[in-house]
Amino acid sequence: MAESFDLVRMVGIGKRYGGVQACHEVDFVLGAGEVHALLGENGAGKSTLMKILSGDVTEYAGSIAINGTPVRFSGPTDAQAAGIAMIHQELDLVPGLSVADNIFLGRELRTTVRTVDRRRMEREARELLDRSGVSLDPRRPVGELRVGEQQLVTIAKAISLDARVLIMDEPTSALTSSEVERLFDVIRELRNSGVGIVYISHRMEEIAKVADRATVLRNGKIVTSFDPRKLSTAEVVEAMVGRPVQTMFTTPDSDTGDELLRVENLKLKARRPRPGRRDPDGISLTVRSGEIVGLAGLLGAGRTELLETLYGVAPGGTRTGRILLQGKPIQPRGPRQALAQGIGFVPEDRRASGLVLFHSILANTVVSSLPSYGRLGVIARRMERAASTRMADRLRLKFGRLQDEVGTLSGGNQQKVVFGRMLLTEPKLLLLDEPTRGVDVGAKAEIYRLLGELAAQGLGVLLASSELPELVGVCDRVVVLRDGRDVASFSTADSGEGELLAAAMGQGAVFDEVGGV
Amino acid sequence: GTTSERASGGASPGSSKSCKGTDGKYTIGMSQANVAEPYRQRMDDDIKAAAKDVPQFDVKFADAAQDNAKQVADVENYITQQIDLLIISPNEAKPLTAVVKKAYDKGIPVIVLDRKVEGDAYTGFIGGDNVQIGREAGKYIAEKLLPQGGNVVELKGLAGATPQAERHEGFVEGIKGNPKVKVIASASGDWLREKGQAQMDALLKANPKIDVVYSHNDPMAEGAYLAAKAVGREKEMKFTGIDALPIPSGGIKAVEQGRLSATFTYPTNGKEAIAAAKKILVECGTIEKTQTLPTRLIDASNAAKIYAEENPTG
Amino acid sequence: MTDVQDKVVTTEKPSVVATLFRFQSVFGLIAVFVAAIIFSPRKNGEILFVSADNLANVVRAVSEIGIIAVGMTFVILIGGIDLSVGAVLGLAAVGSAVLMVENDWGFLPSVVLVLAIGLVFGALQGVATAMIGIQSFIVTLAGLQIARGLARIWSGGQGVAIAYGDGPKEAPTSFALLGERTFGGLVPIPVIIFAVVAIAAVVFLRVSAFSRHLYAVGGNEKAARLSGVPVVRVKIAVFAICGLLASLAGIVHAVQLNQGSPNDGIGYELDAIAAVVIGGTSLAGGRGSVAGTVAGALLLGVLNNILALNNIDSNIQLLIKGLVIVAAAALQRLRPTS
Amino acid sequence: MTDVQDKVVTTEKPSVVATLFRFQSVFGLIAVFVAAIIFSPRKNGEILFVSADNLANVVRAVSEIGIIAVGMTFVILIGGIDLSVGAVLGLAAVGSAVLMVENDWGFLPSVVLVLAIGLVFGALQGVATAMIGIQSFIVTLAGLQIARGLARIWSGGQGVAIAYGDGPKEAPTSFALLGERTFGGLVPIPVIIFAVVAIAAVVFLRVSAFSRHLYAVGGNEKAARLSGVPVVRVKIAVFAICGLLASLAGIVHAVQLNQGSPNDGIGYELDAIAAVVIGGTSLAGGRGSVAGTVAGALLLGVLNNILALNNIDSNIQLLIKGLVIVAAAALQRLRPTS
Ligand SMILES: Nc1ncnc2c1ncn2[C@@H]1O[C@H](COP(=O)(O)OP(=O)(O)OP(=O)(O)O)[C@@H](O)[C@H]1O
Ligand SMILES: Nc1ncnc2c1ncn2[C@@H]1O[C@H](COP(=O)(O)OP(=O)(O)OP(=O)(O)O)[C@@H](O)[C@H]1O
Ligand SMILES: [Mg+2]
Ligand SMILES: [Mg+2]
């Protein structure tokens, strides 16, 4: 490892948002050739601190020095000029522009006559993407890409900046393990060439793998700094949360009941196929009441599309095969019908598809269950508040007042609001798509605990996740999808992450067309 | 306009009440329907110019922008301001009748210009006669331009506007005398120059032989001329308009410069309105209930002379 | 329209400032009102602007725009826009006149049919927006032309005068009542209709489940749909309500002007939108209030009135009104937000 | 408003269907064109609609709206809207006439000043939108009134006639050339101006870095800012371009009609927006093309022409135009996207 000197030195950084102290007296040092993990619960101030460093947030207290020179950026462009690049947590890409245009946005490559050199941009974009391990056509519009693919584009974009300091704010939240491995290779390469990297993630297992040093933030203050390779995950988690977290994953006993959902050879042929979409192409599986069934697969395996099809929000087309709910065949037509039948759905992207960020916590929690709080279309405010308060207590939601805008909550707490909304509809079957993306370990543990509780009460859960430890830890059974087909089914009691991954990648997997138990 | 069944509303505002003689100071409110029409803008300008010569008068202007409701509000605001006399050029008759009566009943003398309101709750009306103008235009075309007969196209004003209907009606009467004059097509140019041009583009295309274009106003006639000129056919036909505004972009100049064969004055009555106001307020006299001003034919022979007469300063 | 938006407000303690800003459209109104008093012409010591019948005139003059603007608020709250309201007003004015005068229909059937036409017209625009997915700007731009064309055809192109009486070709005198004044000849009935509509809308938005759906659709349509909100139905209903209210305004218009003309209401859509936006409703949808819209409409009414009372030249009026609209909108931007 | 666009091509396997849909605004145009041929009146066996001079007329008639619509496309691409273009056209028409006729300025200084006025007016609206953050709908609604007021004041309320010659109170004959026809008297100069503007815009959007920034601002403003795109500058520039083009259209208007009137261009903004949207540009910003806009403008022009050639009643014309606009917009929705 290269000799460390203070590539970045942040001293006494403070930032307030109204009544929230996002950062307080934070000192942070990053050396060249160092991978520095930044840890902390949702809302701890990690992103804020890094937005200050990358010139996104320009009003703050304290001082920053790069290589010993004090700097004060007036915008992201300044920071980029000083060699600082950031991969933002929320994927900030322009949907209408191509991958190549997005990568070079703001610093387009020019020809000798100052026009945009499209061909060179495309070539260089392809090289960058290859380097981060995806083969994407650089001419495709970003709006058509999957969340995970978009994340890879943002990574390629950040790498292309040839920065001395690279900030990665949850770069892997939508990636599966094979893409994560490729990313780590890139990170190691960059580290060896002397780049300083800040790595933010809620996936504890990744920290020990890539980070040289880790700093933990809690409530905007630094609590500790350590060498992650010397601490166990449990100790790291305790440092973050401030108390020991006993069981990360619930180990539900397979005390399952009757068959709740049965999917038989489900196929969807979209009327207007969209490139990159992987509609179900022969999926069979079952979920019993009280059972949590996982959906595993690589990026683009078709997990999201399966859940969307079951909830009735997939694009129009011809559906073949059978879907039975409690033994009766159903034709999913849309959210209203699904909710009426007792099927709830928590979408993958809570900001885009889950919440009205500028509406209150209250309004967001009750929107799916409004008719139950009054009659004749008039809402009884007391009932509504009571229901919302009940749900907030049950989920241990961290919030100020129910009238606060949901957008001011931390990511994990926002996720709980979407979750709680579905619970208020009292579903029999919950379809969860990456429900813990970007959620901190403490909140994850609570969500798992809650899933366990609900399952014990007879709820069935179909849980799509890219995090193998989560699938293995939380589910009773995991169905592996590949290319829109179910290719394997494991009981978590006797299989591990390795086998899941192998099946997902199609290496020596057991071919089990029937799926079911 | 029609006359309503209602009995005339009480005593007419005595000139005795509003008249304070030569020593008085008078605020006159002029409620204009829409200054976006050149004719009505000229009416305002004429009133302004005429009022300059009456030192006792202070004239205020309001523009209703073609909205009846706005014009009602304008008149109400004048009532609130307790003006001494109201001049109104109504956007439409019926909607303004009630508020004009309200002003009149409050003792404010009312001079109605161009378009009548219903009933007789006003002091005097001064206007032109659109049917008469249409008739004159028809006769001119039938007798002077096309004594041997020929094909006429008619460019109408905005569908639904009263002058449009009347200028059409009069025209039909006017050409009756010469059965060889045929109206082969008509189109609506909404009073606008560019609309007249666009409609004429199509009419020229669809009709290989056109002898005269009868346009309900000068701007549309000018537009039609431009359209014909664009395809090199402006010499094949004659153009007539109506309004004859004595302004540089008006019809008199167009006749003088040879683009239009003739146009017919539609008097703005601005001068006459101020004269009437002076009679009522300053001279404590009475005015005729209805004063209809005749139209005048403007052709190459008299255009320059009349333009100069109407614009004494420039 | 993605012009900057106020995304997230921190609300730990709702400061006095924040509370003030919640009502800032009312403050704009008060500011203009005070300015109106100061700049009002006086006659014999009386401030003309605040005289009872002038104030009654001000409110009467805004009642039609106000009624339309309430419906427009709904449409804008779901992130749409309705450019057809002025034309629908014209259609309804023509309809009232033709049915009662030319067809000798009674008061009730005429009014019901006219309201139903507005409702259906609005609903059809809602269908085109919600089900076919055409942007409402375009749907209602086309709707504007269609409604205007229908009004012209129905009326024969001419304004249809309304005379009252029991004879043939006369409208029932009960209809004339809508144009009268009450409470000692001071409060025009149109003002009362506007007030009733506004209060009903405020209460409706406060207590109904439907209103939650409406705000949700405007806030994040995708999220609303996934949450089980009947998005299509909400949209259709909102456009239908807006059409209904435009129709109601058309009836009020006809009775106030004693005629129904196919050219009634030209350009009213822009006034209504201005009232809504000055009232603090975001064109991006999802936030705003009817109370703000009412304040916005009154602000515009007071402004028009004071400019007219001072006989400001109509061209200068255009400049002043443009600047005040920008200033009022800029005031909205002063909210304490990120 | 999530229509996906022809800006970027999907290249996994560009299916025939996808390729067809890329050009669907052109297909709408072709459909209307074919319909026009079918319904065209004939004289002596000649199909009047397709005669050379009729087609030249069609294009000449849309050239002003077309020039404006190109600028409008830019504004809509960044997620804004510009309602002031019609009024700016009027202001520019008045300006050209007053400067050259009343002030006896030369051709070049007049044109330069008029274009500069449009540019500055647009830029100021851009400043209000980008720097104060007022929604562009409101800024330009106010701008409309202000420009109209200025035009009225500048012209004294009346149209200013343009006579050509070398004497005083006459415009230079060089100016008249702009209204002429060339290529054997067939192609009007305004058409050539429109074509040059459109081609320049298409090329500009294709090759310039600025165009990437423009799409980015409209597609995801925050992403654009974080990538170092000068968002404020882009917005101001776009409104300035739109004002400049509206001004240019005003000059063309004045020369075609031999006068500059303060009432020129009323309602043109809606025609221009219709052309843009029919051309497939999303009002939500970030997606669309100038080529589509040109097709949209021509579609509207052909439609107007064929209705006029057939002497369709003007009220029925309103209905037909409304329905065709909806149909053309609905066609946009058929694309294979969500
Ligand atoms: N724009 C903003 N306006 C108001 N409050 C904000 C804003 N951005 C962040 N905050 C608040 O600042 C605090 C720190 O937020 P930050 O995004 O830095 O947390 P984080 O550590 O990145 O959390 P996560 O792990 O969920 O990403 C939170 O309480 C958050 O609500
Ligand atoms: N071409 C496309 N255009 C628009 N949206 C698309 C397209 N392809 C995929 N999507 C959307 O992307 C989402 C699926 O991508 P997602 O990011 O969920 O993939 P993933 O979770 O990595 O893989 P999986 O398919 O296994 O869930 C869905 O919401 C789908 O509607
Ligand atoms: Mg964060
Ligand atoms: Mg997924």
Side-chain angles (χ1 to χ4, degrees):
Chain A
M1 195 170 74
E3 190 208 346
S4 292
F5 61 95
D6 292 350
L7 181 54
V8 174
R9 172 173 287 276
M10 302 174 81
V11 181
I13 302 294
K15 172 72 191 170
R16 279 190 85 82
Y17 284 112
V20 181
Q21 185 80 45
C23 291
H24 183 67
E25 292 287 323
V26 175
D27 297 335
F28 181 83
V29 174
L30 176 70
E34 178 190 52
V35 178
H36 194 151
L38 199 52
L39 307 177
E41 297 181 84
N42 292 125
K46 308 180 292 291
S47 299
T48 306
L49 184 66
M50 288 303 116
K51 282 182 189 163
I52 289 171
L53 180 55
S54 68
D56 183 9
V57 171
T58 52
E59 281 169 25
Y60 57 89
S63 64
I64 303 176
I66 309 289
N67 275 333
T69 326
V71 289
R72 185 116 201 158
F73 303 131
S74 61
T77 331
D78 278 9
Q80 278 175 24
I84 300 173
M86 177 162 175
I87 298 168
H88 284 266
Q89 185 176 4
E90 309 304 336
L91 301 167
D92 285 316
L93 294 169
V94 181
L97 290 181
S98 71
V99 171
D101 282 341
N102 264 288
I103 289 177
F104 291 101
L105 184 61
R107 45 194 187 89
E108 290 77 8
L109 303 179
R110 314 280 189 122
T111 61
T112 44
V113 289
R114 304 291 298 148
T115 60
V116 168
D117 193 339
R118 191 183 284 223
R119 208 156 317 142
R120 194 150 63 93
M121 276 166 44
E122 279 164 11
R123 200 176 55 235
E124 292 194 12
R126 203 183 294 273
E127 282 163 16
L128 281 163
L129 290 165
D130 285 346
R131 209 173 140 196
S132 32
V134 263
S135 54
L136 271 177
D137 188 329
R139 288 170 295 181
R140 278 180 69 186
V142 155
E144 285 181 6
L145 303 183
R146 297 162 174 278
V147 182
E149 289 170 334
Q150 292 189 6
Q151 205 152 37
L152 290 165
V153 172
T154 57
I155 291 170
K157 177 174 177 170
I159 292 173
S160 76
L161 289 167
D162 282 329
R164 284 183 296 165
V165 178
L166 183 55
I167 305 161
M168 302 180 146
D169 195 349
E170 302 193 26
T172 56
S173 64
L175 299 185
T176 52
S177 23
S178 59
E179 292 101 31
V180 174
E181 282 307 326
R182 293 294 291 265
L183 177 64
F184 286 177
D185 289 343
V186 175
I187 290 179
R188 284 180 202 116
E189 222 174 277
L190 290 169
R191 170 171 58 192
N192 292 339
S193 59
V195 177
I197 293 170
V198 181
Y199 190 89
I200 302 177
S201 179
H202 289 294
R203 296 183 174 183
M204 290 305 130
E205 75 280 4
E206 294 176 359
I207 303 300
K209 275 192 208 158
V210 293
D212 304 311
R213 195 139 62 99
T215 294
V216 176
L217 279 176
R218 197 190 307 149
N219 293 330
K221 293 186 206 97
I222 294 205
V223 279
T224 177
S225 202
F226 56 89
D227 183 339
R229 280 164 295 211
K230 303 224 170 79
L231 284 182
S232 74
T233 303
E235 287 167 305
V236 175
V237 170
E238 187 176 339
M240 279 172 55
V241 184
R243 61 183 154 79
V245 175
Q246 294 93 354
T247 40
M248 197 52 227
F249 302 116
T250 50
T251 30
D253 42 3
S254 30
D255 187 15
T256 54
D258 298 337
E259 188 176 276
L260 191 61
L261 175 76
R262 168 176 281 274
V263 177
E264 288 174 0
N265 198 21
L266 179 67
K267 287 188 188 179
L268 177 70
K269 185 137 179 42
R271 200 175 308 126
R272 292 193 228 109
R274 278 179 291 174
R277 240 194 108 84
R278 186 76 68 193
D279 288 314
D281 186 26
I283 296 180
S284 305
L285 55 78
T286 57
V287 180
R288 298 178 168 280
S289 74
E291 192 182 30
I292 304 178
V293 176
L295 281 176
L298 294 185
L299 189 62
R303 293 161 297 176
T304 298
E305 287 83 346
L306 171 62
L307 297 183
E308 285 175 350
T309 309
L310 292 175
Y311 195 57
V313 291
T318 345
R319 198 174 45 225
T320 54
R322 294 213 300 165
I323 305 168
L324 297 113
L325 187 68
Q326 290 178 315
K328 282 198 277 298
I330 56 164
Q331 299 290 337
R333 279 215 189 78
R336 290 178 62 70
Q337 188 211 33
L339 287 168
Q341 286 168 342
I343 303 176
F345 175 58
V346 175
E348 186 171 32
D349 183 348
R350 58 178 172 261
R351 289 181 153 256
S353 343
L355 298 166
V356 183
L357 290 172
F358 56 84
H359 285 177
S360 68
I361 297 169
L362 176 75
N364 274 290
T365 342
V366 300
V367 67
S368 292
S369 47
L370 281 171
S372 33
Y373 313 121
R375 44 169 88 186
L376 299 174
V378 174
I379 292 183
R381 304 201 136 213
R382 238 172 337 109
M383 289 170 73
E384 165 187 73
R385 286 191 70 86
S388 187
T389 310
R390 189 156 28 86
M391 196 43 65
D393 287 348
R394 188 161 174 208
L395 297 177
R396 298 193 196 150
L397 190 74
K398 228 188 280 172
F399 70 107
R401 299 173 318 148
L402 283 178
Q403 291 93 300
D404 290 352
E405 293 183 21
V406 123
T408 62
L409 296 180
S410 78
N413 284 306
Q414 290 180 13
Q415 188 71 45
K416 286 187 207 164
V417 171
V418 188
F419 211 77
R421 169 202 297 165
M422 280 301 136
L423 295 189
L424 281 174
T425 68
E426 296 171 0
K428 292 185 276 218
L429 174 69
L430 252 187
L431 309 173
L432 305 177
D433 196 0
E434 309 275 3
T436 60
R437 183 178 152 211
V439 171
D440 72 41
V441 277
K444 262 184 200 167
E446 281 178 41
I447 289 176
Y448 298 151
R449 175 187 55 76
L450 202 84
L451 278 180
E453 255 178 60
L454 293 166
Q457 292 164 18
L459 183 84
V461 177
L462 193 55
L463 169 76
S465 173
S466 300
E467 256 185 280
L468 292 180
E470 173 172 296
L471 288 172
V472 173
V474 177
C475 303
D476 301 298
R477 213 152 41 73
V478 177
V479 175
V480 181
L481 301 187
R482 196 173 65 231
D483 296 340
R485 287 189 207 113
D486 62 303
V487 292
S489 168
F490 298 98
S491 160
T492 53
D494 42 49
S495 315
E497 295 178 28
E499 287 159 280
L500 283 183
L501 190 61
M505 301 205 301
Q507 297 163 350
V510 206
F511 230 81
D512 182 5
E513 277 290 359
V514 185
V517 199
Chain B
T2 53
T3 339
S4 100
E5 317 290 314
R6 267 179 241 167
S8 74
S12 113
S15 39
S16 52
K17 188 182 159 212
S18 40
C19 179
K20 299 193 215 91
T22 13
D23 301 334
K25 280 265 166 233
Y26 306 94
T27 307
I28 296 176
M30 165 65 196
S31 169
Q32 183 56 273
N34 179 24
V35 295
E37 288 170 45
Y39 165 76
R40 292 169 183 277
Q41 176 68 44
R42 176 69 191 192
M43 187 192 290
D44 279 7
D45 292 345
D46 283 347
I47 288 174
K48 214 172 277 168
K52 264 213 192 94
D53 299 335
V54 188
Q56 294 92 340
F57 284 179
D58 174 19
V59 188
K60 314 283 191 190
F61 293 86
D63 168 24
Q66 225 181 327
D67 181 357
N68 294 323
K70 169 122 180 21
Q71 196 162 22
V72 169
D74 285 340
V75 175
E76 266 171 348
N77 289 331
Y78 278 141
I79 297 173
T80 305
Q81 295 172 59
Q82 301 162 27
I83 53 166
D84 298 297
L85 181 137
L86 173 69
I87 305 176
I88 180 169
S89 172
N91 189 48
E92 287 183 89
K94 182 76 188 179
L96 287 150
T97 301
V99 76
V100 164
K101 180 169 189 300
K102 182 171 161 188
Y104 185 74
D105 289 349
K106 281 217 149 86
I108 301 172
V110 181
I111 299 169
V112 181
L113 298 185
D114 175 40
R115 248 172 242 181
K116 262 190 189 146
V117 292
E118 297 186 346
D120 53 3
Y122 54 86
T123 314
F125 166 81
I126 311 174
D129 182 343
N130 278 309
V131 181
Q132 176 64 20
I133 292 173
R135 203 179 293 125
E136 298 279 339
K139 271 195 208 139
Y140 177 79
I141 288 167
E143 291 162 13
K144 293 269 163 51
L145 295 181
L146 298 175
Q148 314 302 321
N151 293 341
V152 177
V153 298
E154 183 177 4
L155 274 179
K156 294 179 169 177
L158 185 68
T162 322
Q164 183 267 138
E166 291 173 351
R167 288 174 187 184
H168 171 73
E169 183 194 328
F171 177 70
V172 172
E173 279 175 38
I175 56 172
K176 261 199 195 121
N178 186 346
K180 283 184 289 194
V181 171
K182 283 200 198 63
V183 178
I184 55 170
S186 68
S188 178
D190 299 357
W191 305 121
L192 297 172
R193 192 187 264 241
E194 59 261 44
K195 269 287 186 62
Q197 186 185 29
Q199 294 286 14
M200 191 65 188
D201 281 340
L203 289 170
L204 284 164
K205 195 63 227 164
N207 302 285
K209 186 173 176 296
I210 298 173
D211 300 305
V212 167
V213 177
Y214 164 59
S215 166
H216 284 194
N217 73 355
D218 294 331
M220 292 190 295
E222 290 250 35
Y225 174 83
L226 289 169
K229 185 155 176 274
V231 291
R233 285 174 62 185
E234 81 274 16
K235 300 246 156 55
E236 293 171 21
M237 60 197 77
K238 302 235 165 23
F239 302 83
T240 70
I242 293 175
D243 281 352
L245 291 187
I247 57 173
S249 54
I252 301 184
K253 272 277 173 224
V255 172
E256 189 183 333
Q257 288 157 0
R259 293 190 296 278
L260 306 190
S261 299
T263 181
F264 298 83
T265 57
Y266 185 62
T268 67
N269 313 312
K271 241 188 328 193
E272 290 76 11
I274 288 300
K278 193 169 168 206
K279 205 160 200 180
I280 298 168
L281 295 176
V282 182
E283 296 160 11
C284 302
T286 51
I287 61 166
E288 282 177 65
K289 189 82 188 177
T290 297
Q291 188 184 349
T292 308
L293 296 181
T295 181
R296 273 167 90 177
L297 166 71
I298 311 285
D299 59 14
S301 67
N302 63 356
K305 192 173 126 271
I306 289 180
Y307 190 86
E309 271 174 31
E310 294 283 338
N311 294 284
T313 45
Chain C
M1 300 174 202
T2 46
D3 320 36
V4 193
Q5 250 313 318
D6 22 9
K7 266 272 138 54
V8 186
V9 196
T10 326
T11 38
E12 287 262 296
K13 29 184 165 132
S15 68
V16 183
V17 179
T19 317
L20 281 179
F21 271 101
R22 260 198 76 191
F23 297 101
Q24 71 190 340
S25 56
V26 177
F27 281 116
L29 173 59
I30 292 173
V32 172
F33 199 89
V34 170
I37 293 177
I38 295 171
F39 293 113
S40 165
R42 282 140 220 263
K43 269 269 155 85
N44 316 325
E46 188 200 13
I47 301 172
L48 295 182
F49 171 71
V50 291
S51 70
D53 55 347
N54 187 58
L55 291 180
N57 279 342
V58 170
V59 190
R60 189 192 49 65
V62 296
S63 57
E64 290 165 27
I65 294 290
I67 293 170
I68 293 177
V70 168
M72 187 70 81
T73 309
F74 283 55
V75 172
I76 292 181
L77 275 178
I78 62 161
I81 199 143
D82 189 346
L83 301 178
S84 73
V85 286
V88 170
L89 179 148
L91 181 61
V94 164
S96 320
V98 171
L99 288 176
M100 282 190 272
V101 175
E102 299 192 352
N103 301 2
D104 272 323
W105 282 34
F107 170 77
L108 215 62
S110 310
V111 166
V112 169
L113 179 62
V114 166
L115 291 178
I117 288 172
L119 187 87
V120 171
F121 195 90
L124 287 177
Q125 295 188 128
V127 167
T129 304
M131 296 177 62
I132 314 184
I134 314 172
Q135 311 183 62
S136 57
F137 192 102
I138 290 303
V139 170
T140 58
L141 178 57
L144 183 167
Q145 308 198 17
I146 294 173
R148 199 58 81 191
L150 290 176
R152 293 245 173 91
I153 294 170
W154 200 1
S155 65
Q158 293 286 2
V160 178
I162 301 177
Y164 296 99
D166 297 328
K169 307 279 167 211
E170 282 181 335
T173 43
S174 51
F175 186 59
L177 289 180
L178 288 184
E180 300 286 322
R181 298 184 171 221
T182 180
F183 295 122
L186 208 60
V187 184
I189 305 276
V191 171
I192 294 177
I193 296 178
F194 172 35
V196 168
V197 166
I199 291 167
V202 168
V203 171
F204 178 69
L205 280 190
R206 208 159 272 275
V207 306
S208 72
F210 180 83
S211 83
R212 300 303 177 74
H213 286 165
L214 188 154
Y215 276 98
V217 169
N220 183 342
E221 184 173 328
K222 191 170 175 201
R225 193 165 51 84
L226 290 176
S227 305
V229 172
V231 174
V232 169
R233 245 188 289 158
V234 167
K235 285 188 172 181
I236 295 175
V238 162
F239 278 94
I241 292 174
C242 189
L244 176 78
L245 289 178
S247 239
L248 179 61
I251 293 172
V252 170
H253 190 85
V255 81
Q256 289 201 85
L257 293 173
N258 283 333
Q259 87 164 8
S261 153
N263 299 318
D264 285 340
I266 289 182
Y268 281 25
E269 56 278 4
L270 294 182
D271 287 345
I273 294 169
V276 173
V277 174
I278 290 174
T281 296
S282 157
L283 285 173
R287 65 176 106 214
S289 68
V290 167
T293 296
V294 172
L298 290 175
L299 187 153
L300 289 178
V302 170
L303 184 63
N304 276 331
N305 180 258
I306 193 66
L307 290 174
L309 284 187
N310 281 301
N311 290 305
I312 306 290
D313 174 80
S314 64
N315 300 329
I316 309 284
Q317 282 196 26
L318 280 176
L319 301 188
I320 295 177
K321 271 191 240 168
L323 293 174
V324 170
I325 289 177
V326 170
L331 196 70
Q332 301 294 339
R333 301 290 321 151
L334 292 182
R335 276 173 212 214
T337 57
S338 64
Chain D
M1 303 177 197
T2 44
D3 357 17
V4 169
Q5 236 325 275
D6 29 13
K7 170 70 184 63
V8 222
V9 204
T10 320
T11 35
E12 292 251 299
K13 32 185 164 131
S15 70
V16 183
V17 179
T19 317
L20 281 180
F21 272 102
R22 248 200 91 186
F23 297 102
Q24 74 189 339
S25 57
V26 178
F27 280 119
L29 174 59
I30 292 173
V32 172
F33 199 90
V34 170
I37 293 176
I38 295 171
F39 293 113
S40 164
R42 281 142 219 265
K43 276 267 152 88
N44 317 324
E46 187 202 14
I47 301 172
L48 295 183
F49 170 72
V50 290
S51 69
D53 55 347
N54 187 59
L55 291 180
N57 277 341
V58 170
V59 189
R60 189 193 48 65
V62 295
S63 57
E64 291 164 26
I65 294 291
I67 293 170
I68 294 176
V70 169
M72 188 70 83
T73 309
F74 283 58
V75 173
I76 292 181
L77 276 177
I78 62 160
I81 200 145
D82 188 346
L83 300 178
S84 74
V85 286
V88 171
L89 180 148
L91 179 61
V94 163
S96 321
V98 170
L99 289 176
M100 281 189 271
V101 176
E102 299 193 352
N103 302 0
D104 272 322
W105 283 35
F107 170 77
L108 214 64
S110 310
V111 167
V112 168
L113 180 63
V114 166
L115 291 178
I117 289 171
L119 186 88
V120 171
F121 195 89
L124 287 176
Q125 295 187 130
V127 167
T129 305
M131 297 178 63
I132 315 182
I134 313 172
Q135 310 185 62
S136 57
F137 193 101
I138 289 304
V139 170
T140 58
L141 178 57
L144 184 168
Q145 307 199 17
I146 293 173
R148 198 60 79 190
L150 290 175
R152 292 248 169 89
I153 293 170
W154 200 1
S155 66
Q158 284 293 6
V160 178
I162 301 177
Y164 296 100
D166 298 327
K169 306 280 170 212
E170 280 178 337
T173 42
S174 50
F175 187 58
L177 288 180
L178 289 185
E180 300 287 320
R181 296 182 174 221
T182 181
F183 294 123
L186 207 61
V187 185
I189 306 277
V191 171
I192 295 179
I193 296 178
F194 172 34
V196 169
V197 166
I199 291 169
V202 168
V203 171
F204 178 69
L205 281 190
R206 207 160 272 275
V207 306
S208 73
F210 181 83
S211 84
R212 301 295 194 287
H213 297 171
L214 188 153
Y215 279 98
V217 169
N220 184 343
E221 188 173 324
K222 189 173 163 218
R225 194 172 50 79
L226 291 175
S227 303
V229 171
V231 174
V232 169
R233 242 188 295 155
V234 168
K235 285 188 173 179
I236 295 175
V238 161
F239 278 95
I241 292 173
C242 190
L244 176 77
L245 289 178
S247 238
L248 178 62
I251 294 171
V252 170
H253 190 85
V255 81
Q256 288 201 83
L257 292 173
N258 281 338
Q259 81 162 8
S261 153
N263 305 311
D264 284 340
I266 291 180
Y268 281 24
E269 58 277 4
L270 294 183
D271 286 345
I273 294 169
V276 174
V277 175
I278 290 174
T281 297
S282 157
L283 285 174
R287 303 161 194 279
S289 69
V290 167
T293 296
V294 172
L298 290 175
L299 186 154
L300 290 176
V302 170
L303 185 63
N304 277 331
N305 181 259
I306 193 67
L307 292 173
L309 280 185
N310 281 305
N311 245 307
I312 305 287
D313 174 81
S314 65
N315 302 329
I316 308 284
Q317 283 198 23
L318 280 176
L319 299 188
I320 294 178
K321 272 192 242 169
L323 293 174
V324 170
I325 289 177
V326 170
L331 196 69
Q332 299 296 337
R333 303 291 319 151
L334 293 181
R335 274 167 209 229
T337 58
S338 69

